[in-house]
Amino acid sequence: MKTEDAILEMAFAMFLEKGFSEVSTNELIRETGLTKGGFYYSFKSREDLDQRVVEKYIHPFFTRPVEKMQEVWERKRQDISTEELLWHGFFMPQRFINYQQEIGREIAFRNFYFLLYESMKKFPEVGGYFKEFNSQKGEILRRILERGQMRGEIGKTIDLENYVTMILAMQDGILALKVLDDGIDDEEKYKNIQKQMWRDISTESNEAYRDGGVTSAVS
């Protein structure tokens, strides 16, 4: 008999292609090579299987980036600049390739996005994961920017709350673009966001602008 992990992996692959609602329990049983008895030996119900797929494959999409951000904050905040911390401790952990490495398989972002959207409607806890994820990453971004102000790397008059809101919205825009074109390199997009953001808020860029320099304004 296939292990439960193998069954969950096969079920996840089927859900990615067709969605939760379009895959029948009989189809799952047939494709996994189980008997009905074998299926219900491993899972209490179809709902039990769906919930376990969510926990194994959807939940990490929200939790692992935050865990990585916290890890970088604890290990590197004393050693690197705020500009570097923005990349390593905020933008980089959210790259979709990191999620794929976490679950051990390559998947199309569009398929995952639509499954994620369906799971938010089908499972109330997934909506909770999403809200908590946005709240946590907003807090981490705010903490990094406040650290930059304390170190004199970010202008004291910069409205950090506006930048937090703007960056989170721009990230949502990148995800929407990846739905349309999975070939979009989110690393490049995130780096461009960070570069533009740093031009706007860093004391070094602002000093160069006030002194008549043009590099920070147009490069």
Side-chain angles (χ1 to χ4, degrees):
M1 180 182 294
K2 291 183 175 66
T3 65
E4 291 181 10
D5 281 344
I7 297 168
L8 291 173
E9 184 174 358
M10 293 179 70
F12 179 55
M14 295 170 70
F15 296 153
L16 283 168
E17 290 298 322
K18 300 174 66 174
F20 288 102
S21 300
E22 295 301 316
V23 177
S24 70
T25 303
N26 285 338
E27 186 177 358
L28 276 167
I29 291 171
R30 182 174 64 252
E31 292 299 319
T32 54
L34 295 171
T35 63
K36 282 192 176 182
F39 179 87
Y40 289 107
Y41 176 82
S42 298
F43 306 99
K44 297 176 183 178
S45 64
R46 166 62 189 273
E47 290 73 21
D48 179 39
L49 179 138
D50 289 354
Q51 289 281 355
R52 288 169 66 177
V53 167
V54 166
E55 189 62 28
K56 183 176 177 64
Y57 292 105
I58 303 293
H59 198 198
F61 179 74
F62 299 107
T63 57
R64 286 300 294 143
V66 171
E67 290 171 3
K68 183 63 176 178
M69 291 176 199
Q70 297 285 10
E71 178 186 329
V72 172
W73 173 261
E74 294 298 329
R75 289 194 299 108
K76 295 189 174 183
R77 72 177 187 271
Q78 302 296 337
D79 305 322
I80 61 178
S81 69
T82 298
E83 184 178 11
E84 292 176 295
L85 191 58
L86 273 171
W87 175 251
H88 293 287
F90 182 75
F91 288 107
M92 189 168 70
Q94 298 182 66
R95 294 184 59 213
F96 189 61
I97 192 172
N98 296 344
Y99 167 73
Q100 294 179 89
Q101 292 170 349
E102 177 71 22
I103 65 172
R105 60 178 297 148
E106 184 175 340
I107 58 178
F109 179 78
R110 179 183 298 178
N111 291 357
F112 178 78
Y113 183 88
F114 287 133
L115 185 64
L116 182 62
Y117 183 74
E118 182 187 0
S119 69
M120 286 183 184
K121 295 190 295 181
K122 187 176 178 66
F123 307 105
E125 65 269 28
V126 177
Y129 298 156
F130 178 75
K131 290 179 182 178
E132 182 67 14
F133 176 53
N134 273 342
S135 174
Q136 288 178 327
K137 69 179 184 178
E139 286 300 317
I140 290 169
L141 177 57
R142 189 177 295 105
R143 182 171 62 190
I144 293 172
L145 297 179
E146 288 173 349
R147 181 251 201 189
Q149 281 189 329
M150 291 178 61
R151 289 165 56 101
E153 297 168 291
I154 294 174
K156 296 292 186 183
T157 61
I158 297 296
D159 186 340
L160 300 185
E161 199 60 40
N162 280 343
Y163 275 92
V164 169
T165 300
M166 180 182 68
I167 295 307
L168 295 182
M170 293 176 75
Q171 286 187 314
D172 288 341
I174 291 173
L175 296 181
L177 287 174
K178 278 189 72 67
V179 172
L180 298 174
D181 180 4
D182 200 19
I184 286 175
D185 185 346
D186 56 356
E187 178 175 3
E188 179 186 7
K189 298 295 184 184
Y190 284 151
K191 283 184 175 179
N192 287 341
I193 290 176
Q194 181 186 356
K195 186 183 297 183
Q196 183 59 57
M197 177 185 180
W198 196 250
R199 286 174 182 159
D200 291 343
I201 68 177
S202 73
T203 52
E204 182 179 350
S205 295
N206 290 328
E207 285 295 333
Y209 185 77
R210 282 195 294 270
D211 291 343
V214 297
T215 301
S216 64
V218 301
S219 61

